Amino acid sequence: MNLEEKLYASIYRIRRVEEVVCDVYPSDKIRSPVHLSIGQEAVSAGVCEALLPEEAVYGTYRSHATYLAKGGDIRKMIAELYGKDAGCCRGKGGSMHLIDPAVGALGGSAIVATNIPHAAGHAYADKIRGRKRATVAMFGDGAVEEGVFYETLNFAALKKLPMIFVCENNSYAIHSPLLTRQPLDNISARAAVFGIPTEIIDDGDVFKIYDAVKRAATAIREGKPGPFFIECKIYRWMEHVGIGEDWKFGYRTRDEAEAWLEKDPVKVCGALIDEKRRAEIEKEIEEEIRDAFAFAESTPFPDLKELYTDVYKN
Ligand SMILES: Cc1ncc(C[n+]2csc(CCOP(=O)(O)OP(=O)(O)O)c2C)c(N)n1
Ligand SMILES: [Mg+2]
């Protein structure tokens, strides 16, 4: 696959997995809340495609996109959503805790911003061991309000950590617009005061996101000092959590969304690929998704005696 095809496949896979999640959800077979990335696919796709398999991404609770884009096992993901023993957390983590260490999808957390210092710890370990590879912390604009965000920027800049901060700025934390929570709309400028090089991609262009991360990751692999900070402006199409739309709540308007809806990454990226090739890619992914849901349906729940194993450290 060439780059266009890879990025399209990644975007299309995320979109279709989440659309099928929406179809299945009313049946109650999916045992956890779901935070969807429909409309935001270009960020995870661009970021993860620019990384090597051995380079890690720490995501958030909006984790389907990051996990899939990094190449996480799709059967284990859907089994996890179904609460099944074969899930990536043996059915005990659910949608917000998808992890596949084999491909560097190092999981998310329900607690906003907690993944940011985890990524820094990973990068610090690499630095101490002399490994030249990038680690990415992905987080939303809401995570920027947590103290640990600034503490980690400080530490990462001080220690010149081989990491990339990626802020997925969709302008909302649940129902609160950014400027009702923060005095200024200047997230990347806050990283700049620590001397961290910053870049903003304000139009959701998957190629620009890919390029920015590729440049930063390449610099790190060449031994240049990190960290780097990339802010990706984007828009969430669905409600904060769950499978519905939420224009009726009135905290944002469909008009505001219109420009982003027109930039649908599935359509924009899909239009760059030859029609026959696109049909082949889509058919293959549809088959993957069908297989993963069929697997999740048929595989067993954990045994009752497993109720307390892996929940607390023994
Ligand atoms: C420490 C902490 N505070 C509050 C919450 C409740 N909460 C869950 S998601 C969320 C919004 C976070 O918004 P953002 O970081 O912009 O991510 P987005 O949902 O937009 O992707 C909040 C406040 C939480 N989970 N953890
Ligand atoms: Mg947000």
Side-chain angles (χ1 to χ4, degrees):
M1 279 199 204
N2 61 29
L3 181 63
E4 279 84 359
E5 290 171 355
K6 281 187 201 160
L7 289 171
Y8 178 65
S10 184
I11 289 168
Y12 184 83
R13 182 179 292 105
I14 298 164
R15 173 69 57 90
R16 289 293 300 133
V17 165
E18 293 203 330
E19 284 176 347
V20 178
V21 164
C22 292
D23 294 342
V24 171
Y25 209 72
S27 69
D28 236 7
K29 287 176 177 168
I30 291 176
R31 301 298 175 117
S32 72
V34 288
H35 301 75
L36 303 181
S37 291
I38 291 179
Q40 300 192 185
E41 298 92 342
V43 182
S44 284
V47 168
C48 294
E49 198 53 50
L51 300 176
L52 302 171
E54 65 270 26
E55 290 177 323
V57 173
Y58 287 77
T60 70
Y61 48 84
R62 200 175 295 290
S63 70
H64 304 165
T66 321
Y67 177 94
L68 288 168
K70 197 67 178 66
D73 186 299
I74 182 167
R75 276 189 164 197
K76 287 185 186 166
M77 169 187 170
I78 308 302
E80 187 60 36
L81 299 191
Y82 274 65
K84 299 295 185 76
D85 194 45
C88 58
C89 290
R90 301 199 59 202
K92 293 169 184 172
S95 162
M96 295 188 277
H97 303 102
L98 300 178
I99 181 164
D100 191 344
V103 293
L106 283 194
S109 165
I111 309 304
V112 171
T114 46
N115 61 319
I116 305 173
H118 296 170
H122 191 127
Y124 193 30
D126 276 350
K127 176 155 179 141
I128 289 167
R129 291 171 179 155
R131 287 195 195 128
K132 292 189 171 55
R133 59 178 186 184
T135 297
V136 172
M138 292 192 48
F139 49 91
D141 47 293
V144 169
E145 286 145 38
E146 296 291 340
V148 75
F149 167 73
Y150 298 93
E151 293 169 39
T152 311
L153 284 181
N154 179 67
F155 185 78
L158 177 72
K159 300 288 181 186
K160 301 191 176 5
L161 297 188
M163 71 178 291
I164 308 169
F165 294 86
V166 176
C167 181
E168 197 166 14
N169 180 1
N170 61 13
S171 296
Y172 289 91
I174 310 186
H175 299 150
S176 305
L178 190 123
L179 285 175
T180 66
R181 306 166 354 236
Q182 301 177 22
L184 298 169
D185 178 7
N186 69 342
I187 288 175
S188 52
R190 283 172 246 173
V193 298
F194 290 92
I196 299 172
T198 64
E199 192 161 342
I200 301 177
I201 292 109
D202 64 2
D203 59 1
D205 183 323
V206 68
F207 295 96
K208 290 185 196 161
I209 296 166
Y210 168 85
D211 278 344
V213 177
K214 186 81 190 262
R215 264 183 279 114
T218 303
I220 287 169
R221 290 170 207 150
E222 288 170 353
K224 304 216 172 79
F228 297 86
F229 192 101
I230 299 167
E231 179 181 355
C232 303
K233 298 200 177 173
I234 203 77
Y235 204 79
R236 163 167 61 74
W237 291 10
M238 311 296 282
E239 60 188 335
H240 167 71
V241 55
I243 59 163
E245 295 186 335
D246 66 358
W247 313 109
K248 64 172 188 280
F249 294 160
Y251 73 94
R252 57 181 191 162
T253 64
R254 182 84 192 210
D255 276 356
E256 174 194 277
E258 224 35 72
W260 285 101
L261 293 167
E262 273 170 29
K263 282 189 284 205
D264 180 351
V266 172
K267 288 201 186 118
V268 172
C269 198
L272 302 174
I273 296 161
D274 163 72
E275 215 169 297
K276 183 163 161 281
R277 194 60 200 111
R278 201 172 79 207
E280 287 166 5
I281 291 169
E282 290 175 2
K283 183 160 173 266
E284 212 169 287
I285 292 171
E286 294 295 341
E287 188 41 52
E288 252 178 53
I289 297 174
R290 242 191 315 277
D291 168 76
F293 277 86
F295 173 74
E297 294 269 348
S298 64
T299 195
F301 285 109
D303 194 280
L304 202 54
K305 70 177 188 301
E306 298 267 332
L307 196 59
Y308 295 110
T309 53
D310 303 323
V311 177
Y312 296 102
K313 189 159 171 30
N314 292 326

